Amino acid sequence: MSPQKDSTKAQAARKAALKGVNSQKTKKVRTSPTFHLPKTLRLARTPKYTRKASPRFAKLDQYTVLRQPLNTEIAMKKIEDNNTLVFLVDVRANKRHIKDAVKKLYDVDASKINTLIRPDGVKKAYIRLPADVDALDVANKIGFI
């Protein structure tokens, strides 16, 4: 390079060092009175090892949903008169869980399910069966009559 070019470069560097390089920066105009932290890059987690040794099993399968059939006098009357089975079920189970469990265990579709939680904390389900299925036959198949 020529000495002329070197000296102009040096002069520019000297000027920048004395004056400062940040003097040309303009102030950002804020349009909102509240400050929002800028959105930065969020990387997905890449763990070195799994935190659990084995995956958790499904807590509510059909065997844990339906605990036991209820065969009190009132429940028997419901079976005979209303075509309804009465079961004690898991408290965490909802009506869809109960319907699926009855379908899997006894091959019967439930037309309607009513649930209540008894004062002792146990959930009771009234499982109404369609007209073409006899609740008495299903109760005999289960084996509690």
Side-chain angles (χ1 to χ4, degrees):
M1 279 201 196
S2 65
Q4 182 72 27
K5 229 178 205 181
D6 288 341
S7 65
T8 54
K9 250 186 172 177
Q11 293 288 338
R14 178 175 173 241
K15 188 176 173 186
L18 289 172
K19 192 175 176 187
V21 289
N22 295 328
S23 63
Q24 305 297 326
K25 197 172 187 181
T26 58
K27 191 96 171 163
K28 182 180 189 312
V29 177
R30 299 232 168 248
T31 56
S32 172
T34 55
F35 175 76
H36 296 292
L37 204 67
K39 302 281 189 279
T40 56
L41 180 66
R42 288 186 182 152
L43 295 171
R45 292 184 175 192
T46 53
K48 301 289 185 258
Y49 65 94
T50 56
R51 295 302 190 265
K52 291 179 181 169
S54 62
R56 296 181 74 174
F57 62 94
K59 287 183 184 175
L60 287 174
D61 60 340
Q62 65 264 26
Y63 301 106
T64 52
V65 168
L66 295 179
R67 284 180 43 199
Q68 67 191 57
L70 204 63
N71 58 354
T72 58
E73 285 183 30
I74 296 170
M76 291 307 184
K77 191 166 173 57
K78 288 263 185 205
I79 289 173
E80 293 162 5
D81 297 344
N82 299 348
N83 206 29
T84 302
L85 296 172
V86 184
F87 276 89
L88 296 181
V89 296
D90 195 294
V91 179
R92 297 167 296 174
N94 58 27
K95 292 181 181 182
R96 286 185 213 90
H97 290 149
I98 297 166
K99 193 171 192 173
D100 291 341
V102 169
K103 175 79 173 155
K104 284 179 186 170
L105 289 175
Y106 307 120
D107 299 320
V108 175
D109 282 320
S111 61
K112 184 179 181 182
I113 294 175
N114 290 337
T115 58
L116 63 90
I117 296 180
R118 301 191 317 188
D120 63 350
V122 179
K123 187 179 265 192
K124 184 161 60 168
Y126 295 98
I127 302 164
R128 180 84 185 259
L129 301 179
D132 60 324
V133 179
D134 189 29
L136 205 55
D137 293 340
V138 177
N140 281 328
K141 189 170 106 177
I142 295 169
F144 71 91
I145 288 185

